[in-house]
Amino acid sequence: MSDGDSDNSGGVHRPVGIDELLERVRAGYQRIEPQEAYQAARAGDALLVDIRYAALRERDGLIPEALIVERNELEWRLDPQGSHRLPEATSHALRVVVICNEGYASSLAVQSLHQLGLHRATDLVGGFQAWRTAGLPVM
């Protein structure tokens, strides 16, 4: 059964490509545009979380007041029930805006956060690059 994963009834599912996977994941929530994310963060209604790796942050800069959480630590740091959570991870109702470089990896990260019960998690359309292009603050 190397052509796909089997289901509980013994059938085989066709493999899903990344474009289809992203489409399915994104259909489950409303993504946020840079200006809206900026306003929500300023109003205290959203926690911006930058998951880009260090080389990209060093090259392109940082979003002021965004939390830096490497992608491989995201679930541990934002799970309100987790023993390794950040102080900001106070509730499953927390509105988290995940930011990657261009808005792809963040969508997959949001799916994982939804599975942990963070139902208000979303990601930034276009990622950090869209934030910067919109002329929003970068340091």
Side-chain angles (χ1 to χ4, degrees):
M1 284 197 255
S2 62
D3 289 303
D5 298 324
S6 64
D7 64 17
N8 291 337
S9 66
V12 175
H13 296 281
R14 68 173 179 77
V16 175
I18 189 61
D19 292 332
E20 184 177 341
L21 178 62
L22 280 171
E23 186 178 315
R24 287 182 186 183
V25 166
R26 290 171 175 170
Y29 66 96
Q30 183 68 41
R31 300 178 80 208
I32 191 168
E33 295 288 337
Q35 191 64 43
E36 184 183 352
Y38 175 69
Q39 293 299 332
R42 288 193 61 191
D45 185 43
L47 178 66
L48 304 180
V49 179
D50 187 341
I51 64 169
R52 295 175 300 143
Y53 53 90
L56 289 177
R57 295 191 311 265
E58 290 168 10
R59 181 189 78 189
D60 294 337
L62 303 170
I63 295 172
E65 300 185 26
L67 281 179
I68 306 300
V69 181
E70 298 265 342
R71 173 63 191 100
N72 63 330
E73 296 181 357
L74 186 67
E75 292 82 358
W76 285 268
R77 299 296 186 208
L78 293 183
D79 179 3
Q81 299 175 336
S83 59
H84 298 341
R85 71 182 174 276
L86 292 169
E88 294 85 354
T90 56
S91 137
H92 285 97
L94 181 65
R95 186 178 186 197
V96 176
V97 178
V98 181
I99 303 166
C100 68
N101 193 47
E102 295 181 340
Y104 296 101
S106 56
S107 295
L108 299 177
V110 166
Q111 178 187 34
S112 183
L113 294 178
H114 284 183
Q115 290 173 329
L116 288 175
L118 291 156
H119 61 276
R120 295 183 69 207
T122 187
D123 72 320
L124 189 66
V125 175
F128 178 85
Q129 297 306 322
W131 177 280
R132 185 171 62 181
T133 299
L136 296 170
V138 174
M139 51 184 221

